[in-house]
Amino acid sequence: MTKSRLAAVDVGNDSIKAIFGDLDYELNIPNIIARDTEDRPIIGIEELDTKDPLDGIHIKVHSPALKENNVIYRVGNLAAKSDNTSELDPGSSKSEEDQTLIMLFATLALDAVNQDFPKNKNIIDANYTLGTGLPLREVKEGKDAGYRSKLLGSVHQVEFLVTPKYQGLKVNIKFNEVKVYPEGFAAFINLVMDNNLKIINKDLIDKRILIQDIGGLSTDIAVIKNRNVDDDKAQGFNLGVSESLEAIREEIRKKHGVELDSRRDVVDIITRKNNRNHIMVHGSRTSVHDITDRILMELAKKEYRLLRNVWAKNSQTEICYFVGGGSHVLKDYLKTINNNLDGYNIEFFEDDKESIWMMANAYYKLITDFVRRTEKPKAAEEKAPVKS
């Protein structure tokens, strides 16, 4: 039997964050796809294998889970350079979009080509035990079961076409197990436990907490009490940062004539350490503060209103943690609103990587614990003496 490799994958609206094995490999790929042809034109094909595969992900994906099967895509950085890019739209469900599956399969295939899976000529048979998640709203609607069943029991194939180093390889992906966690619960686990599921934050463990996870397409507010998510009071909302990022992108195009490739470029302008909220126009550094501040402050006000409404219904809450890529973008604006109103006890993660990788880290902790717990009974059975 093929050994199953651990994978924790956060299919975020901005990018995919994935952790593999014994924390031995991680991937971060922009969540952008673009349809393409089989022989994409490239300059200097003889130098293809000297380039970074992550800058040239060009694949055909076959899976019974997809609505549109056997389609060729550019993925990530390569897709961002196309004119027909596709990013997840506001109002869409992560669990029902082909793009979610395409990004998931591509990420696993990029790991599989460097592992010791069985290989016959150019075909690799990969097996994964996957921990991933969905927004709270989708889990409450029962969409996690359908998403899980799409992945289990089928073979999903990724064929690398004109991709550096991996051209011509095919990866057959099977899942030994798939666990789909609600994102709010995952965030709580990450806050209070280390990679060995030992309590690291005793001060938080018995507090009443809100966790506001702001993503690209949705916002989840988990209500934690007695160490569990209160399913009845936890809420999911169709409000995220994607629409605002698109609005910023469009205004920059209209006002300055600068075409940004993707929402990720907008995020980079807003959050980078140097020259924040500036772009280059005809070679001159130009401020876009007026655009970003106005649009993001409006969104921050809406997010703050959600917090206020949920806190009012959970008046004994002690602290709210803001997590997710959207919180990273809106951090300064939310802090300003809260300070001006002498508001709530709120907390952000000042470490950018910790905030952005929080969900992937949480899924890794949860799937590792699941494997540990399921392997112990098996080991005990194998050691038990055979009765005559």
Side-chain angles (χ1 to χ4, degrees):
M1 182 181 166
T2 304
K3 185 168 171 57
S4 191
R5 180 161 162 84
L6 222 59
V9 184
D10 171 24
V11 185
N13 180 66
D14 173 61
S15 67
I16 309 303
K17 281 78 66 179
I19 302 168
F20 295 97
D22 295 321
L23 297 170
D24 54 74
Y25 188 51
E26 62 181 44
L27 279 170
N28 188 350
I29 303 168
N31 189 352
I32 309 167
I33 62 173
R35 287 194 173 219
D36 203 8
T37 56
E38 189 142 355
D39 295 314
R40 70 176 177 93
I42 61 167
I43 298 166
I45 194 159
E46 69 282 352
E47 296 175 6
L48 181 67
D49 285 349
T50 65
K51 300 181 188 303
D52 186 344
L54 297 186
D55 290 330
I57 306 168
H58 183 239
I59 57 174
K60 181 192 274 190
V61 187
H62 172 79
S63 167
L66 295 170
K67 294 172 198 157
E68 295 187 80
N69 209 351
N70 286 320
V71 178
I72 295 165
Y73 295 99
R74 295 179 175 214
V75 174
N77 295 330
L78 186 65
K81 298 172 186 172
S82 301
D83 296 327
N84 59 331
T85 58
S86 172
E87 298 179 77
L88 293 174
D89 294 319
S92 63
S93 292
K94 192 186 283 189
S95 58
E96 296 174 343
E97 293 292 327
D98 271 5
Q99 182 159 342
T100 303
L101 295 172
I102 290 157
M103 293 301 304
L104 173 65
F105 298 150
T107 304
L108 294 174
L110 284 162
D111 172 70
V113 290
N114 292 304
Q115 303 310 315
D116 190 25
F117 285 122
K119 186 176 179 182
N120 183 9
K121 294 181 180 174
N122 66 327
I123 300 173
I124 297 163
D125 290 313
N127 191 297
Y128 285 94
T129 297
L130 174 68
T132 189
L134 289 174
L136 196 60
R137 171 180 56 85
E138 294 185 50
V139 174
K140 287 183 87 168
E141 290 169 2
K143 290 179 178 175
D144 54 325
Y147 184 60
R148 181 174 179 269
S149 66
K150 278 183 193 176
L151 298 173
L152 281 170
S154 296
V155 179
H156 318 277
Q157 187 182 81
V158 174
E159 179 181 355
F160 288 102
L161 301 174
V162 190
T163 303
K165 296 185 175 65
Y166 309 140
Q167 187 170 13
L169 290 177
K170 294 179 182 179
V171 181
N172 290 332
I173 298 166
K174 281 186 181 177
F175 293 99
N176 181 53
E177 181 57 275
V178 175
K179 302 294 282 182
V180 182
Y181 303 103
E183 290 175 350
F185 171 66
F188 173 65
I189 290 295
N190 200 63
L191 278 171
V192 299
M193 294 180 179
D194 65 13
N195 284 332
N196 297 311
L197 277 295
K198 296 253 186 349
I199 304 295
I200 53 170
N201 205 330
K202 290 182 180 175
D203 291 343
L204 275 184
I205 196 75
D206 290 319
K207 280 187 177 179
R208 293 199 173 196
I209 306 167
L210 298 182
I211 297 175
Q212 187 153 337
D213 176 18
I214 305 174
L217 305 178
S218 63
T219 295
D220 287 342
I221 304 184
V223 180
I224 314 287
K225 58 182 183 181
N226 301 324
R227 307 188 183 198
N228 289 302
V229 176
D230 188 326
D231 291 331
D232 295 325
K233 293 191 173 182
Q235 292 187 58
F237 305 91
N238 281 325
L239 180 69
V241 296
S242 289
E243 228 166 327
S244 297
L245 296 176
E246 282 295 342
I248 291 169
R249 190 174 163 193
E250 181 61 17
E251 281 210 31
I252 287 173
R253 187 186 67 78
K254 283 180 180 174
K255 185 174 179 179
H256 299 288
V258 173
E259 191 77 58
L260 299 171
D261 287 337
S262 67
R263 295 172 198 155
R264 206 172 204 218
D265 288 345
V266 181
V267 172
D268 178 57
I269 289 163
I270 295 163
T271 59
R272 64 190 173 208
K273 293 281 190 289
N274 298 317
N275 299 328
R276 186 176 292 186
N277 292 305
H278 282 75
I279 60 171
M280 298 304 291
V281 180
H282 305 307
S284 298
R285 200 162 66 88
T286 305
S287 173
V288 291
H289 246 300
D290 56 331
I291 297 172
T292 57
D293 282 352
R294 174 171 45 80
I295 293 172
L296 293 178
M297 182 55 85
E298 277 306 307
L299 177 59
K301 286 175 183 174
K302 291 176 184 175
E303 290 286 353
Y304 196 81
R305 203 171 300 131
L306 296 182
L307 170 66
R308 190 171 58 212
N309 292 341
V310 174
W311 201 304
K313 293 172 186 172
N314 299 276
S315 61
Q316 297 309 295
T317 296
E318 296 175 65
I319 189 169
C320 176
Y321 280 89
F322 280 90
V323 302
S327 293
H328 180 52
V329 168
L330 294 175
K331 179 168 64 176
D332 293 341
Y333 302 97
L334 287 165
K335 283 181 176 179
T336 298
I337 295 168
N338 197 54
N339 291 340
N340 289 344
L341 294 174
D342 191 24
Y344 302 100
N345 183 17
I346 64 174
E347 192 71 61
F348 293 83
F349 289 88
E350 301 305 326
D351 184 308
D352 295 349
K353 183 172 180 182
E354 186 179 3
S355 180
I356 292 164
W357 282 81
M358 174 168 279
M359 289 303 164
N361 285 327
Y363 301 149
Y364 185 84
K365 292 172 186 180
L366 288 162
I367 196 65
T368 304
D369 183 57
F370 167 77
V371 169
R372 247 188 234 130
R373 285 186 287 107
T374 51
E375 282 182 351
K376 274 182 185 175
K378 284 181 190 172
E381 281 173 26
E382 288 167 9
K383 285 181 182 177
V386 179
K387 290 181 181 178
S388 55

